[in-house]
C-alpha cells in the first residue's frame, strides 16, 4: 500500500516538475507585442508633412537639404518654421 502511494507521489512530483519547467518555456515562445514608437505625439517633420498647404516649400527644402530626418526624430526642440508665404517673400527679394 505504501509503495503504491509512494509511486503515485513520485509520478505527481515528476509531472509537477515538468509543468514548472515547461510552462515558462512555452510562454516565452509567444511573439512579443513590440511597438515602433513609444511616444505617439506628432513629431515636427510629421506636422510639416501633414500641413503641406502651409509648409510645402519648407518640406521640399528640407528634403533637398537631407534634413527632414532630423525633424522626424524624438527629442525636445523648437523649429520656427516659415510658411509658404514667408518663403515666397524671401525668394522675391
Amino acid at each position: 500500500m505504501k509503495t503504491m502511494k509512494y509511486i503515485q507521489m513520485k509520478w505527481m512530483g515528476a509531472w509537477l516538475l515538468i509543468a514548472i519547467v515547461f510552462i515558462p518555456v512555452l510562454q516565452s515562445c509567444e511573439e512579443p507585442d513590440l511597438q515602433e514608437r513609444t511616444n505617439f505625439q506628432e513629431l515636427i517633420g510629421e506636422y510639416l508633412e501633414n500641413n503641406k498647404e502651409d509648409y510645402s516649400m519648407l518640406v521640399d527644402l528640407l528634403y533637398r537639404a537631407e534634413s527632414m530626418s532630423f525633424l522626424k526624430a524624438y527629442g525636445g526642440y523648437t523649429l520656427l518654421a516659415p510658411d509658404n508665404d514667408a518663403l515666397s517673400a524671401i525668394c522675391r527679394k
Side-chain angles (χ1 to χ4, degrees):
M1 239 357 186
K2 285 187 176 184
T3 57
M4 190 64 134
K5 283 187 178 183
Y6 176 73
I7 292 173
Q8 286 177 345
M9 292 295 283
K10 193 174 181 181
W11 277 105
M12 286 178 72
W15 282 112
L16 182 62
L17 181 64
I18 290 171
I20 290 172
V21 170
F22 284 107
I23 287 177
V25 170
L26 293 175
Q27 287 181 344
S28 66
C29 293
E30 295 176 10
E31 289 229 6
D33 183 27
L34 299 177
Q35 297 179 355
E36 291 183 21
R37 295 176 69 163
T38 57
N39 182 355
F40 292 98
Q41 292 179 344
E42 189 173 38
L43 304 173
I44 291 177
E46 292 172 343
Y47 177 81
L48 294 173
E49 286 182 335
N50 292 338
N51 294 294
K52 284 192 176 184
E53 62 276 355
D54 293 326
Y55 301 105
S56 62
M57 292 175 71
L58 180 62
V59 168
D60 185 45
L61 287 172
L62 289 168
Y63 273 115
R64 287 182 187 200
E66 297 179 359
S67 298
M68 184 56 92
S69 60
F70 301 123
L71 296 176
K72 289 185 175 182
Y74 298 109
Y77 48 89
T78 301
L79 173 69
L80 301 176
D83 62 0
N84 289 340
D85 296 334
L87 286 175
S88 294
I90 290 172
C91 291
R92 276 186 257 141
K93 289 185 178 184

